[in-house]
Amino acid sequence: MAVIVALGAFLMTLAGGWTAQRVTDRRHLVLGLAGGLMLGVVGLDLLPEALHAAGEEVFGVPLALLLFVAGFLVAHVVERLLAVRQAAHGAEEGARVPEVGLTAAAAMVGHSLADGVALGAAFQVGGGMGVAVALAVITHDFADGFNTYTLTSLYGNARHKAQLMLLADAVAPVVGAASTLLFTLPEEPLGAYLGFFGGVLLYLAAAEILPEAHHRHPALSTLLCTVGGVAGIWLVVGLAE
């Protein structure tokens, strides 16, 4: 059952990526929406789940929050190192680093893989839990596909690379769900991963996606897309409860 549901997530991910490709003439709106979706996923979905799953404290701070900050810093350091390396090879200052986009998209694929594992584990617990997790996974995988394609293409990668990363992101939850036929991922490592990934995602949204969205088109419509993205994730989370 988990694998069958994961096939629905596969289709929703492709639908999200297809939507991102089709609205390139409104790029600022796409980026504004992507930033809102990413912010909503981090604040309303990933962090609460991470705090619940990896609840232990390290020197007075929840482990999930420490890893959240670590993820943010790692994303920043990696981007700066790649930018310095590219500048040393003659690239213009401020130019996008394609490797950053591919790394970010790979992180999205890893997140989708974890979604599939969580989906399979939920069905092992019981049908009711499985249905609740299935609703959350399928609905927010549209946002995952949208963001995966947007992140890859934003950093100057060729369209075929963005499409390959989108396909990998779509296949990942199916692979993750199928893997639970062989093993179950413990709750605490999953929570730790979600905290770290949330930090990476927040950095990309706050430092890259949203500034780019408003750089040339500081329009009210762009801002509304961002707010709408957050509200959409809130709705998804509420329906999944």
Side-chain angles (χ1 to χ4, degrees), residues 69-85 100 203:
V69 174
F72 189 99
L73 290 176
V74 167
H76 178 55
V77 169
V78 168
E79 184 193 31
R80 289 297 88 206
L81 288 176
L82 289 173
V84 169
R85 178 174 175 269
V100 173
Y203 176 80

Side-chain angles (χ1 to χ4, degrees), residues 3-4 15 40 59 68-69 79 82 102-103 111 113 127 155 164 169 174 192 196 199 205 210 239:
V3 175
I4 293 174
F59 206 62
F68 172 76
V69 174
E79 184 193 31
L82 289 173
L102 292 175
T103 302
H111 171 55
L113 184 67
Y155 283 87
L164 283 175
D169 189 48
V174 181
F196 183 84
L210 291 177
L239 291 173

Side-chain angles (χ1 to χ4, degrees), residues 7-210:
L7 291 174
F10 171 87
L11 295 175
M12 285 295 286
T13 302
L14 291 181
W18 181 85
T19 301
Q21 292 181 61
R22 292 294 175 178
V23 289
T24 52
D25 58 328
R26 294 289 185 268
R27 185 168 179 268
H28 59 291
L29 298 180
V30 172
L31 294 175
L33 178 60
L37 291 172
M38 292 165 72
L39 177 59
V41 166
V42 172
L44 307 178
D45 186 17
L46 294 182
L47 268 184
E49 183 62 31
L51 287 169
H52 173 74
E56 64 179 273
E57 294 188 352
V58 178
F59 206 62
V61 179
L63 175 61
L65 289 183
L66 285 175
L67 289 171
F68 172 76
V69 174
F72 189 99
L73 290 176
V74 167
H76 178 55
V77 169
V78 168
E79 184 193 31
R80 289 297 88 206
L81 288 176
L82 289 173
V84 169
R85 178 174 175 269
Q86 189 179 49
H89 287 79
E92 295 182 6
E93 184 178 354
R96 295 289 179 180
V97 184
E99 291 85 353
V100 173
L102 292 175
T103 302
M108 294 295 296
V109 174
H111 171 55
S112 294
L113 184 67
D115 275 350
V117 173
L119 181 61
F123 273 101
Q124 289 178 359
V125 172
M129 176 68 73
V131 170
V133 174
L135 176 63
V137 168
I138 289 177
T139 49
H140 92 245
D141 269 1
F142 180 88
D144 284 354
F146 191 98
N147 289 333
T148 298
Y149 185 88
T150 301
L151 282 169
T152 309
S153 58
L154 174 66
Y155 283 87
N157 290 285
R159 182 174 180 176
H160 74 274
K161 289 186 178 181
Q163 291 172 336
L164 283 175
M165 295 308 298
L166 173 63
L167 180 60
D169 189 48
V171 171
V174 181
V175 174
S179 72
T180 59
L181 299 175
L182 305 175
F183 69 93
T184 301
L185 184 67
E187 187 177 37
E188 288 190 6
L190 180 59
Y193 161 77
L194 291 177
F196 183 84
F197 178 67
V200 172
L201 210 57
L202 182 63
Y203 176 80
L204 293 171
E208 298 293 330
I209 301 295
L210 291 177

